[in-house]
Amino acid sequence: MTEQNIADLEKEKRKIKSVAKMKEIMTTYYIEAKTAAESGKKVAWITSGGPVEFLIAMDVIPVYPENHGAMIGASKMGVDLCEKAEEMGYSRDLCSYARADIAAAPINGGPIGGLPRPDFLVCCNNICGTVLKWYEVMARYFDVPLFILDTPFIHKEFSPAAKKYVIDQTYEYIAFLEAQTGKKMDYDRMHEVSRLAVEGLRLWQAVLDTAAHKPAPMTAFDAFFHLALIVTLRGTQTTVDYYRQLLAEMEQRIKDGIAMVPNEKYRLLWDNLPVWYRTKWLSEKFASHDACLVGDTYTSAWSGVMDLIDPDNFIESGAVAYSSVYINVSLDKMFDTLAALIRKYDVDGLVMHSNRSCKPYSFGQYDLQKMVMERLGIPTLMIEADMVDARSFSESQIETRIDAFMEKLKT
Amino acid sequence: MQLLEKLCQIAENPYAYAEKIKGDARTPIIGYFCSYAPEEVICAAGAVPFRIFGTRGDISLADAHLQSYCCSLARGGLEDALTGRLSFLDGTVFPHTCDSIQRLSDIWRLNGGFSFHSDIVLPVKLDTPSARTYMTAVLRDFRDELAAALKVPLTDDDLTSAVRTVNQIRKHLGDLYAAHSKTPGILSAKALHQVIKAAMVMDRKEAAADLAALLESLGLDNPPTVADSGRKRVILSGGICNHPDLYSLMEVAGADVVWDDLCTGTRYVEGLVGETGDPIAAIAERYMERMVCPAKHSDNTARGRNLVELARTHQAGGVIFLFLKFCDPHAFDYPYLKQFLDEAGIPSMVLEIEERLPPEGQMKTRIESFVEMI
Ligand code: SF4
Ligand code: SF4
Ligand code: SF4
C-alpha cells in the first residue's frame, strides 16, 4: 500500500459511521415538517430550550429556528442573510441566528428553502431575551399565536414564587396547545414521551461522557453535529435509538483505541456556541497542534439538568429543570458547571468563544476566564467571533492566537 | 429661575448631589438602572433611589469585564462602580430586563464591592394573571430583603406615603410635559430633560417639593399664549437619553422635542400607583398596565400603535429614534415601529449612540436635513 492509501484508510477509520443515519433522520424530519400541511399536521416553531415534549405528545411537528440558524451558518449562507436582515432594518449587532432566520422567512432562503410556516409559536426565554423579540417578530410576520414560557433567571436561587409561576405556565401551555390543536392532552402519552425524553438525555450525556476517555473517541465538533436530535426530537423513540447506536459506536471506538484526533496530546474544553462556518477549519487547526477539543459547555446544556426531571411528574419537575439550564443561571453557578466539566474531561486548557451574537453567553466570560485561571490554574484562550456571521471572523488573527496559545501549552 | 438652575445642576452632576446628601445624614442611597426598579419601596425604606445613567468618563476598567459589544449604559455604569465614582451607593437593585443587564448584575455583585445587591427577577410576560401574581410576589420579596438589609420596619404606611410622594412627582412632571407640549419654550426641552433626570436621583420628598414650586413659578394655570412659531415638532423614542446637548442641537435646527417615549422621559411619569389597598399589589399593577418596554412582553403591537398615537396627539411632524448601540430590545422593535410610522405617514430617523454623541457637525447635518424634511 502506498502512504496515501494508508492515510486514507486511517481517515476512514476515524470517521463516525453513525453520521449517515443521523443525516437520514434529519432529512426525513425536515421533509415531514415541510409537508405537514398535506398530512394535516400542525407545525410549531419552538426555541431550543423550550419544552418540546408537550408538542411531541400532542402530535405537533416542532421546528427550530435556531437549528435553522446553525444550518445557515454551516452552509456559509449566513453573511448574505444577515445582510438582508440589515436591509430590513435589523441592526448588525443583533443575534445572527435571529437575523438570518428573520431574513430567510419572506424569501424562503437558506439551505433548505426556508422553514415550514408555523401554525403557532412557542418561546421559552430560558436561553435569552433575544428569542422573545425574535418570536414577537415572527408572530407579527406570520400573524399566528405566540405562547411564552417565562422562566425566571436564577441569580441566587429559584424562589418558591418562581417555581409556582413556571408550573402555572406549564398548565397554561397545555391549555394553549389544546386550543391550538383542538384536542385534549393524552397524559398517558405525555408520560411516555417524558420517559423517552429523559432516556434520550441520559444517552446523550453518556455519548458526551465517552470523550472523557483518553484519547477521546469524539470531539466537541462531533458533539455539535450530533446535538440536533436531542434538541429537535427529544422525547421520541428515534432519538433514543439513535443515541444508543452512537453510544455503542463510541464505546467500540474506545475498545479499538480509535481516537478522533491522531496523537491526542492536549485536551481542551470549548465554551459558547460553535463557529458554524468554521468548524472544520478550527478542528483541523487544533488537531495540527495535537490538540483535541474533548468537551464543551454548549452541548451538555440540554442534559445538564436531566437529574432534576422526574418522568413521573414531568409537568412540575420539568418546569424547574428547564428554568435551571446553563445560561439561565448566574456566573457563579456557571463557574461551578465549568469547573466540573474541566475536571471531568481532564483538560489542559479552556478555549472561549466570545460570540458577538450571544450576549447572555458571552458577557461574563472575562470574569469566568479569570476564575478558571486563578482558581483552577487552567490556561485559557479567548477567540472573538460570531457563530453565523462570518464577517466577524478574522482568520489571521485567530490563527495567530491559537498558535501562540498552543505554544504556551506545549512549554 | 433659581430652582430650575438647581435642578439642572443636579442633573449635570448627580454624583456631587449624592455625595452631599450622603454626607449630611448618611442617608442610604440605592442605585438602579431601569424604570422597573420599584422606587416607592426604596423610598419607603428611608433610602434614596439613584438612577445610574452610564458614565461621563472614558471606559477602561469595565473593559476587563464586558466586551466592546455591550451597550454603553452597562459598560459605563460598571466603569463608575469600579473607579469608585459610585462609592456613595449602599447598594444596587437590578430588575430583570435584558440579557446585558442580567449579566451586568452578576459582574456587579462579584466585583462592585457594594454591601447590598438585589435582583428583582420580574416576569418578562406582563399580560397574564400568573405573571401578575408572580410580579407581586417578587416585589414583596424585595421589600423584605431591603427592610432586612437596611434594618428598617418598612410598614405599609411607609409604603403608602412613599407611593404618594412618587405619584406627586409623576403628576408634576406630567403637568410639565403637557405644558411644554402645548407651549414649547415655556421651558426648553433640554431643561425639561434635566428636570426629569434630577427627579430620578434626588431625595424624592425634596424633588416633589421642588417640582411643585417650579410649576407654580411657571404660572401654568395661565399659560402664555404663544403665536404659532412655525417651529417643527418632533418626538424622541427609545430607552435612555443621557445627552442634553441633543436637545439643543434640535432646537438650533428649528425643532422642538415636544414629547418622548423614553425611559428617562415620559415612561418614568406614565401611570400612577393606586394609593389605596395593598401598596405592593398597586405597584405591581402599574408595571403590568404601563406601556410595555421592549425587554418585556405584552400586546405585540402596542408600542407601534402607541407611538403613532403619541405623534398624532402631540402634532409631531416626525419621530427621532434614539438608540444605544448594542441595545438588543430596542433594535429588535425598530423595524416594526418604523413600519407603523411609515404606514401612518410619519417620517422618522435613527440616531444610534455609542458612548458619546457622534461628532457635532455630523449630527447637526443629519438633524437639520431631517427637520427640513418634516
Ligand atoms: S442570543 Fe444566544 S441564546 Fe439567544 S438565540 Fe441568539 S445564540 Fe441563541
Ligand atoms: S427600556 Fe425597558 S429595560 Fe430599558 S430602562 Fe426602560 S424599562 Fe428598563
Ligand atoms: S435595555 Fe438596552 S440600553 Fe438598557 S441595559 Fe439593556 S442593552 Fe443596555
Side-chain angles (χ1 to χ4, degrees), chain A residues 283-327:
Chain A
S283 94
E284 284 171 0
K285 182 76 218 163
F286 281 107
S288 75
H289 287 287
D290 299 331
C292 176
L293 287 157
V294 291
D296 70 286
T297 56
Y298 177 61
T299 54
S300 53
W302 281 264
S303 40
V305 293
M306 67 190 176
D307 291 337
L308 296 173
I309 303 177
D310 168 10
D312 292 328
N313 184 9
F314 187 81
I315 294 181
E316 305 206 341
S317 63
V320 176
Y322 284 130
S323 303
S324 313
V325 299
Y326 186 61
I327 65 171

Side-chain angles (χ1 to χ4, degrees), chain B residues 71 73-74 98 100-101 240 324 326-330:
Chain B
C71 77
L73 176 61
C98 68
S100 309
I101 270 297
I240 173 164
L324 292 190
F326 305 115
C327 171
D328 290 356
H330 281 283

Side-chain angles (χ1 to χ4, degrees), chain B residues 33-36 51 97-98 238-240 263 267 290 293-295 330:
Chain B
F33 280 89
C34 158
S35 64
Y36 283 104
R51 183 151 187 160
T97 52
C98 68
I240 173 164
C263 280
R267 284 183 53 72
R290 189 175 64 147
C293 128
H330 281 283

Side-chain angles (χ1 to χ4, degrees), chain B residues 72-141:
Chain B
S72 60
L73 176 61
R75 280 161 53 81
L78 182 63
E79 181 70 22
D80 282 2
L82 297 175
T83 53
R85 282 183 211 123
L86 288 173
S87 57
F88 53 80
L89 292 182
D90 293 87
T92 325
V93 32
F94 288 87
H96 178 90
T97 52
C98 68
D99 295 335
S100 309
I101 270 297
Q102 173 180 290
R103 283 292 171 227
L104 174 67
S105 168
D106 291 345
I107 296 172
W108 194 276
R109 176 168 50 82
L110 297 171
N111 302 281
F114 300 105
S115 57
F116 177 73
H117 185 104
S118 178
D119 289 293
I120 310 184
V121 192
L122 297 171
V124 167
K125 264 195 303 197
L126 300 180
D127 57 353
T128 64
S130 60
R132 181 180 304 253
T133 307
Y134 174 62
M135 166 87 87
T136 316
V138 172
L139 291 173
R140 248 188 255 295
D141 288 348

Side-chain angles (χ1 to χ4, degrees), chain A residues 149-154 157-171 308 313 315-321 323-324, chain B residues 121 130 134 137-138 141:
Chain A
L149 186 74
D150 181 13
T151 46
F153 190 85
I154 307 180
E157 73 230 324
F158 202 55
S159 71
K163 185 170 169 192
K164 178 177 181 318
Y165 179 40
V166 290
I167 292 173
D168 283 351
Q169 289 179 82
T170 309
Y171 290 109
L308 296 173
N313 184 9
I315 294 181
E316 305 206 341
S317 63
V320 176
S323 303
S324 313
Chain B
V121 192
S130 60
Y134 174 62
V138 172
D141 288 348

Side-chain angles (χ1 to χ4, degrees), chain A residues 249-404:
Chain A
E249 187 179 346
M250 290 305 130
E251 283 167 347
Q252 190 59 45
R253 282 165 79 95
I254 292 178
K255 266 193 215 127
D256 299 343
I258 302 173
M260 189 47 97
V261 171
N263 319 313
E264 173 190 304
K265 271 205 206 100
Y266 306 99
R267 297 166 61 83
L268 304 171
L269 191 78
W270 176 270
D271 179 54
N272 212 307
L273 277 79
V275 182
W276 287 113
Y277 48 91
R278 282 306 181 109
T279 46
K280 185 155 176 281
W281 184 84
L282 280 164
S283 94
E284 284 171 0
K285 182 76 218 163
F286 281 107
S288 75
H289 287 287
D290 299 331
C292 176
L293 287 157
V294 291
D296 70 286
T297 56
Y298 177 61
T299 54
S300 53
W302 281 264
S303 40
V305 293
M306 67 190 176
D307 291 337
L308 296 173
I309 303 177
D310 168 10
D312 292 328
N313 184 9
F314 187 81
I315 294 181
E316 305 206 341
S317 63
V320 176
Y322 284 130
S323 303
S324 313
V325 299
Y326 186 61
I327 65 171
N328 203 44
V329 299
S330 64
L331 289 175
D332 351 25
K333 288 179 191 289
M334 287 170 90
F335 174 75
D336 293 343
T337 305
L338 195 53
L341 287 172
I342 286 173
R343 270 181 236 118
K344 181 202 270 182
Y345 292 107
D346 193 17
V347 297
D348 308 297
L350 170 67
V351 182
M352 303 183 102
H353 169 202
S354 167
N355 180 358
R356 282 184 82 90
S357 265
C358 191
K359 296 182 172 88
Y361 215 145
S362 303
F363 294 164
Q365 269 178 326
Y366 292 172
D367 282 76
L368 284 175
Q369 180 184 31
K370 222 167 71 202
M371 290 188 227
V372 166
M373 292 196 295
E374 283 169 7
R375 297 190 203 167
L376 307 175
I378 298 283
T380 59
L381 165 67
M382 189 74 69
I383 293 176
E384 294 263 356
D386 183 283
M387 67 213 174
V388 165
D389 192 340
R391 289 172 295 174
S392 300
F393 188 92
S394 156
E395 182 175 313
S396 58
Q397 200 184 60
I398 289 171
E399 181 157 35
T400 316
R401 304 204 66 182
I402 293 177
D403 289 343

Side-chain angles (χ1 to χ4, degrees), chain A residues 56-124:
Chain A
I56 305 269
M58 297 288 272
D59 239 353
V60 173
I61 300 185
V63 165
Y64 288 86
E66 290 155 78
N67 181 244
H68 188 221
M71 288 195 292
I72 290 170
S75 53
K76 302 191 169 52
M77 299 169 94
V79 174
D80 183 47
L81 286 169
C82 284
E83 280 173 351
K84 284 208 171 64
E86 287 149 36
E87 282 161 29
M88 293 162 79
Y90 293 95
S91 159
R92 182 173 168 177
D93 303 320
L94 294 171
C95 164
S96 52
Y97 274 178
R99 269 184 293 149
D101 183 62
I102 288 171
I107 56 170
N108 286 328
I112 59 162
L115 291 178
R117 193 189 146 79
D119 293 292
F120 55 90
L121 308 166
V122 179
C123 170
C124 178

